[in-house]
Amino acid sequence: MLPYINLPFEWLSRLIGASTDELKLIFSILVSYPLAGALKRIPDSKPEQKNIFSISVSLFFLVGLFDLWVGLRTISISAAGAYAIAKYLRTSPYMPWLGFVFTMGHLSVNQLARQFHNEPASVDITGAQMVLVMKLSAFCWNVADGTLSEEHLSDFQKDHRLVELPSLLDYAGYVLFFPSLLVGPAFDFVEYRRYIDCTMFDVPVTIDPTRRPPTRKKRKIPRSATPALVKGASGLLWIFAFLQLSNYYWPGSLLTEEYSKRSFFYRVFSLYMVGVTARTKYYGVWSMTEGACILAGLGFNGVDPKTGRISWDRVKNINPWGVEMAQNTRAYLANWNMNTNSWLRNYIYLRVTPRGRKPGFRASFATFSTSAFWHGFYPGYYLSFMLASFIQTSAKNFRRFVRPFVMDPLNDKEKQKPTKNKIYYDILSWFTTQVTFAFVAQPFLILGLSESLQIWRSVYFYAVIGTAVSMAFFASPAKAILKKKAEERAAKAAGKGRPSHRLVRTSSTDSITNDRLPVLGVMDDPQQELDDAVKEIRSDLEYLRQSGMITQKEVADRLNTIMGKVDGLEKVEKKEEKKVQ
């Protein structure tokens, strides 16, 4: 049967130039819409039928459409292994970490195999497996949380914990939920369970009956065709934009001799447009899969008690406008692959930190490493991640020490108003962010080390040099001068009888939900992370000394060794800053 299924895709591939696997992926997402509508119409009282339907469709996609028998085996191994670990090691404090290591290790093996196979246009199982790692590692943590008393859990953990292991059928339905099987979005098991048993759609009694969302017949799932089709249509428009733009801007075009002969400004513009073109594909696919989830009902995220409006953003994974209009690094990354950000925050960053302690270097480094390995092992990924960390530090410095000059210096930061010059700051910030990330993102698309460096060299490493100059500037006395000028400006405002705002680091700067939280694993401030690492090592050594495991002399010797290495790194950094200056 498979050769006949391939024929229309092969014909269309020759017609428009896209690969057959890419066309099959789009087809599988499109056909998910009528199938999601059928899934929603299965009676609320029969969740087992919903599971069987979803599993059957996913098996058709994997085997009938893509011929991924090996992929089905891979998913089965990961899912069965995670369930067995959660079941038989449930009470062990190491259980969720073993589940994470198992699923991530299995993914890494397949990513390496794909990398050596070197067919990036083909659809293999690693994309679906990346989504599965998020779902299964979260599942193990939810099971572990179910064994703890509530006083040891955060509100998020209380809401997502699993006191009992689910049935194998429910678990298989969760793993093989067809609208999000191949490219996501990811979600936690408790959300899936509330979806299939329809408790997700219970309306609080406080909501006026006239404000309750409309449903059909006796179903509890509200009508969702309109928001689903809007998402689907926007996704198709993004895909259409990708097909049009990719005729002119594709990653390989940056390696051609023709590109190298063009002017510098043209090369930078092309760099930017290749990035935009690549993003439109993800905007399209992620918007369409979100629409299928909405149509099935899983996107439901509550009802506004005042207006009765339904929120359908439970599984939202991308905010295209937020990315394209981002004025800083953090906003750019936070609006991209949002479910991965949530997973890294809730199941890596906050889990590495011992209970009662504040997240520090250990949490940031674990999040950075996880995000990097989760993406794969191409050198380009690591070039992008490392540079993005330093860029984020520079962007934070500009926001902290330059932005105050275009804001009215009021005492209450929440009520600060922009000056008439802020529009110029915003435009420059947007331009700098977009052009810088055009540079940063290219290794993510090119993947190879030598090819990535070739492209960076063709535009004279402008983002690397700009970041180095920026870091050198804020490491110089200029930072203190800016801070002093801002405080003088605030004092002048106070002299006119207006409440002033001092330029000080606020508590939110180090909040685990704000500045210090790595976005997509990108470290917020490498220098601060290094300082935190020294503090944590010092604390750990002191704990070992108090436990009698090492002597005071050994503590001093090890600290001297560590500080010597840190001093060496700082000297190298200062030398580089002098070269830049």
Side-chain angles (χ1 to χ4, degrees):
M1 180 176 70
L2 193 60
Y4 296 101
I5 290 179
N6 280 335
L7 289 177
F9 297 106
E10 292 173 352
W11 172 80
L12 193 58
S13 174
R14 291 192 295 269
L15 184 67
I16 65 176
S19 72
T20 56
D21 276 357
E22 289 173 336
L23 293 172
K24 285 181 181 180
L25 178 62
I26 298 300
F27 171 78
S28 69
I29 296 172
L30 288 174
V31 80
S32 291
Y33 277 74
L35 292 171
L39 174 63
K40 184 167 64 174
R41 282 161 176 76
I42 296 175
D44 295 349
S45 60
K46 297 182 178 180
E48 69 283 351
Q49 291 187 9
K50 296 180 183 180
N51 284 324
I52 292 171
F53 182 85
S54 185
I55 293 168
S56 300
V57 173
S58 289
L59 291 177
F60 166 72
F61 285 165
L62 289 171
V63 177
L65 188 61
F66 289 100
D67 196 25
L68 285 173
W69 288 96
V70 174
L72 177 60
R73 182 187 67 189
T74 295
I75 288 177
S76 300
I77 291 172
S78 286
Y83 191 88
I85 290 170
K87 180 177 181 179
Y88 296 110
L89 300 174
R90 186 178 180 187
T91 58
S92 170
Y94 303 107
M95 181 274 288
W97 291 115
L98 289 172
F100 169 76
V101 170
F102 170 74
T103 54
M104 181 66 81
H106 193 198
L107 170 65
S108 297
V109 169
N110 287 327
Q111 283 177 326
L112 287 170
R114 175 179 173 83
Q115 185 171 337
F116 294 141
H117 199 241
N118 196 26
E119 288 189 12
S122 65
V123 172
D124 71 349
I125 204 59
T126 56
Q129 200 177 1
M130 290 173 73
V131 178
L132 198 59
V133 165
M134 291 192 285
K135 294 170 72 173
L136 296 182
S137 59
F139 173 80
C140 289
W141 275 111
N142 298 151
V143 172
D145 290 340
T147 65
L148 303 176
S149 57
E150 289 197 2
E151 60 264 24
H152 294 143
L153 302 175
S154 66
D155 291 339
F156 177 87
Q157 291 172 298
K158 292 174 186 176
D159 186 59
H160 289 74
R161 66 176 180 159
L162 296 172
V163 179
E164 296 180 355
L165 279 174
S167 69
L168 288 174
L169 182 60
D170 285 353
Y171 181 73
Y174 168 65
V175 169
L176 295 172
F177 184 66
F178 70 87
S180 65
L181 174 69
L182 296 173
V183 296
F187 46 88
D188 287 355
F189 179 83
V190 70
E191 296 172 299
Y192 179 74
R193 183 174 63 187
R194 291 169 183 167
Y195 163 69
I196 60 170
D197 66 15
C198 292
T199 56
M200 176 186 287
F201 310 105
D202 290 340
V203 179
V205 294
T206 55
I207 292 184
D208 187 335
T210 61
R211 300 286 188 183
R212 298 191 175 214
T215 61
R216 288 186 180 276
K217 299 180 180 179
K218 295 182 179 180
R219 289 201 306 268
K220 293 175 69 175
I221 304 178
R223 298 176 185 177
S224 57
T226 300
L229 292 177
V230 168
K231 276 290 179 183
S234 66
L236 285 174
L237 288 176
W238 285 118
I239 293 296
F240 178 76
F242 169 73
L243 293 175
Q244 297 302 309
L245 291 172
S246 60
N247 292 322
Y248 306 97
Y249 304 103
W250 71 99
S253 66
L254 304 176
L255 298 168
T256 62
E257 186 176 351
E258 179 185 357
Y259 172 80
S260 63
K261 291 180 179 178
R262 304 299 291 264
S263 69
F264 171 75
F265 294 105
Y266 177 88
R267 294 198 297 270
V268 173
F269 175 76
S270 295
L271 201 68
Y272 169 73
M273 287 304 301
V274 167
V276 170
T277 303
R279 290 194 295 276
T280 57
K281 178 172 66 174
Y282 290 97
Y283 296 158
V285 170
W286 283 338
S287 295
M288 291 168 68
T289 55
E290 183 188 347
C293 289
I294 291 172
L295 189 58
L298 185 64
F300 180 83
N301 201 22
V303 182
D304 188 319
K306 294 182 179 179
T307 64
R309 290 178 60 88
I310 302 174
S311 176
W312 291 102
D313 61 354
R314 179 180 295 274
V315 292
K316 185 175 183 179
N317 198 37
I318 190 70
N319 179 8
W321 182 257
V323 174
E324 299 303 329
M325 293 293 107
Q327 297 177 23
N328 57 69
T329 306
R330 196 166 191 81
Y332 191 103
L333 296 175
N335 286 290
W336 176 265
N337 209 347
M338 297 157 75
N339 285 314
T340 300
N341 270 321
S342 178
W343 171 65
L344 289 170
R345 177 182 65 248
N346 292 312
Y347 297 110
I348 304 297
Y349 185 72
L350 296 178
R351 302 290 181 159
V352 170
T353 306
R355 188 180 297 114
R357 294 181 62 177
K358 186 178 179 181
F361 172 77
R362 184 186 292 110
S364 296
F365 184 75
T367 308
F368 174 87
S369 303
T370 298
S371 183
F373 287 126
W374 180 78
H375 280 92
F377 297 94
Y378 285 101
Y381 296 151
Y382 298 88
L383 278 180
S384 294
F385 269 104
M386 293 300 296
L387 180 57
S389 292
F390 290 100
I391 289 172
Q392 181 147 295
T393 301
S394 296
K396 185 177 67 176
N397 282 329
F398 273 103
R399 182 174 181 83
R400 183 179 296 163
F401 299 107
V402 177
R403 186 174 180 271
F405 290 95
V406 295
M407 300 297 293
D408 196 18
L410 292 174
N411 190 42
D412 186 352
K413 288 187 68 176
E414 298 300 323
K415 296 180 180 179
Q416 276 190 287
K417 295 180 180 180
T419 66
K420 63 180 181 180
N421 294 322
K422 188 173 182 293
I423 183 64
Y424 304 111
Y425 175 87
D426 290 342
I427 293 172
L428 184 60
S429 296
W430 170 82
F431 177 80
T432 304
T433 298
Q434 297 300 325
V435 171
T436 300
F437 266 89
F439 183 96
V440 173
Q442 284 315 305
F444 242 83
L445 305 175
I446 299 297
L447 303 179
L449 178 61
S450 60
E451 294 87 349
S452 298
L453 293 176
Q454 176 184 332
I455 293 172
W456 281 5
R457 190 182 304 112
S458 69
V459 289
Y460 309 117
F461 294 94
Y462 69 81
V464 176
I465 295 173
T467 302
V469 170
S470 169
M471 295 188 72
F473 175 80
F474 286 107
S476 72
K479 182 168 74 172
I481 294 172
L482 287 173
K483 184 176 180 179
K484 182 179 179 181
K485 291 290 184 182
E487 291 181 348
E488 288 175 353
R489 181 170 173 265
K492 185 177 180 181
K496 294 181 179 180
R498 302 172 59 223
S500 64
H501 166 65
R502 288 191 64 203
L503 187 64
V504 295
R505 181 189 290 252
T506 65
S507 59
S508 64
T509 300
D510 292 325
S511 169
I512 63 172
T513 59
N514 289 300
D515 289 356
R516 290 300 305 280
L517 174 64
V519 184
L520 277 183
V522 175
M523 289 186 181
D524 176 66
D525 189 336
Q527 179 60 51
Q528 183 62 48
E529 300 298 346
L530 183 61
D531 294 342
D532 286 349
V534 173
K535 291 178 182 177
E536 289 184 15
I537 293 170
R538 189 189 299 272
S539 176
D540 291 341
L541 290 175
E542 182 61 24
Y543 172 79
L544 293 175
R545 186 194 67 78
Q546 292 178 358
S547 302
M549 300 176 69
I550 59 176
T551 66
Q552 180 65 44
K553 184 178 184 304
E554 289 174 321
V555 170
D557 290 343
R558 294 183 187 185
L559 282 175
N560 287 335
T561 301
I562 293 168
M563 294 309 297
K565 292 180 179 180
V566 171
D567 290 341
L569 289 172
E570 291 179 345
K571 287 178 182 178
V572 171
E573 183 180 339
K574 289 179 180 178
K575 286 182 180 178
E576 294 300 320
E577 289 174 0
K578 288 180 180 179
K579 289 180 181 178
V580 172
Q581 292 172 327

